[in-house]
Amino acid sequence: MDRRTGAADRRSRPADRRKTALALAALLCAAVPACTAGPPAPAAVAAPPALAARVTPVPPDRLAGSHHPGCPVPADRLRLIRMNHWGFDGKVHRGEMVVHESAVEPVLKAFGSAFEARFPIRRMRVMAAYGGDDPAAMADDNTSAYNCRPVTGRPDRRSQHSYGDAVDVNPLENPYVDRTGTVHPPGADGHLGHRDAARPGVLVASSALTRAFREAGWEWGGRWSPPDYQHFSRNGR
């Protein structure tokens, strides 16, 4: 070997070693998927909970027991609202409510305000779930609107709920006292004395739901004597 050949060999060895190292790195990287992957994708940010209301005509099964011949509002003037609400468990639940078509906007605004304030609602089912039985719905602490029936405690008078523009909210936390002094539902007497807004589900004048209905021109029965704390209506009845 002459001197020039030996010098060339010595110069080529570092380059060969680099090529070999790169080849080995490529083989190792191919065996490890994370090596060839790009930077990790940012974690998806969950959208904040929303009212997510949907309004449709009312299917017949959602009116069973709560609508019948002789009711003042025909079924095609009623609307089914499906919307989210906060529960007493701190979770979001899907609820249903039937109202008159003209009451949809104020009801959505009021319950939208309640949702933003995380005001808890025990449950929200159409009255068909109770066969139109108002005492049963109140005992179950159900929030509802349309129900073609007499006034509870006054069978001679048609309830404003028969027109679809009245709403009852959390009856156990917000009892109704009829003209004889009977408290509805039974067992709700403890919520008649000190009305504390800090107690979950209790309505007071400053509650988000109460204020929103007031801004819409609806009246709260909590101001009546005797009171009906659960009740909101468009015409004050």
Side-chain angles (χ1 to χ4, degrees), residues 159-237:
S159 168
Q160 193 60 34
H161 291 276
S162 302
Y163 299 88
D165 57 359
V167 178
D168 287 343
V169 178
N170 292 344
L172 281 171
E173 289 73 26
N174 303 290
Y176 154 56
V177 183
D178 69 25
R179 59 180 179 174
T180 69
T182 303
V183 178
H184 304 270
D189 309 58
H191 288 281
L192 281 177
H194 181 54
R195 302 288 297 166
D196 185 356
R199 298 173 72 179
V202 171
L203 291 165
V204 296
S206 61
S207 298
L209 191 60
T210 310
R211 287 188 283 106
F213 269 124
R214 183 168 62 245
E215 290 168 4
W218 286 40
E219 188 170 322
W220 177 43
R223 297 186 178 275
W224 302 346
S225 182
D228 189 352
Y229 291 112
Q230 63 195 258
H231 186 82
F232 296 94
S233 63
R234 179 161 53 185
N235 67 356
R237 292 179 52 191

Side-chain angles (χ1 to χ4, degrees), residues 31-115:
V32 182
C35 182
T36 56
V45 178
L51 188 70
R54 183 183 176 211
V55 182
T56 66
V58 189
D61 67 306
R62 293 297 195 274
L63 288 175
S66 64
H67 185 79
H68 46 79
C71 289
V73 178
D76 62 2
R77 300 292 301 277
L78 298 170
R79 294 293 179 268
L80 174 65
I81 300 176
R82 294 182 175 94
M83 57 183 159
N84 290 336
H85 65 85
W86 291 98
F88 281 67
D89 57 1
K91 298 178 181 178
V92 175
H93 300 268
R94 194 70 171 164
E96 293 186 336
M97 178 180 292
V98 175
V99 302
H100 192 279
E101 60 183 359
S102 64
V104 168
E105 184 176 348
V107 166
L108 286 180
K109 285 183 177 179
F111 281 93
S113 296
F115 189 86

Side-chain angles (χ1 to χ4, degrees), residues 110-189:
F111 281 93
S113 296
F115 189 86
E116 289 177 6
R118 296 196 173 214
F119 179 84
I121 292 170
R122 182 80 62 187
R123 57 183 52 85
M124 186 187 294
R125 298 173 180 163
V126 296
M127 286 302 299
Y130 303 91
D133 187 333
D134 187 51
M138 285 194 289
D140 202 29
D141 210 14
N142 184 57
T143 292
S144 65
Y146 178 77
N147 189 17
C148 187
R149 60 171 177 83
V151 173
T152 299
R154 293 192 62 178
D156 59 320
R157 181 178 173 184
R158 190 187 294 275
S159 168
Q160 193 60 34
H161 291 276
S162 302
Y163 299 88
D165 57 359
V167 178
D168 287 343
V169 178
N170 292 344
L172 281 171
E173 289 73 26
N174 303 290
Y176 154 56
V177 183
D178 69 25
R179 59 180 179 174
T180 69
T182 303
V183 178
H184 304 270
D189 309 58

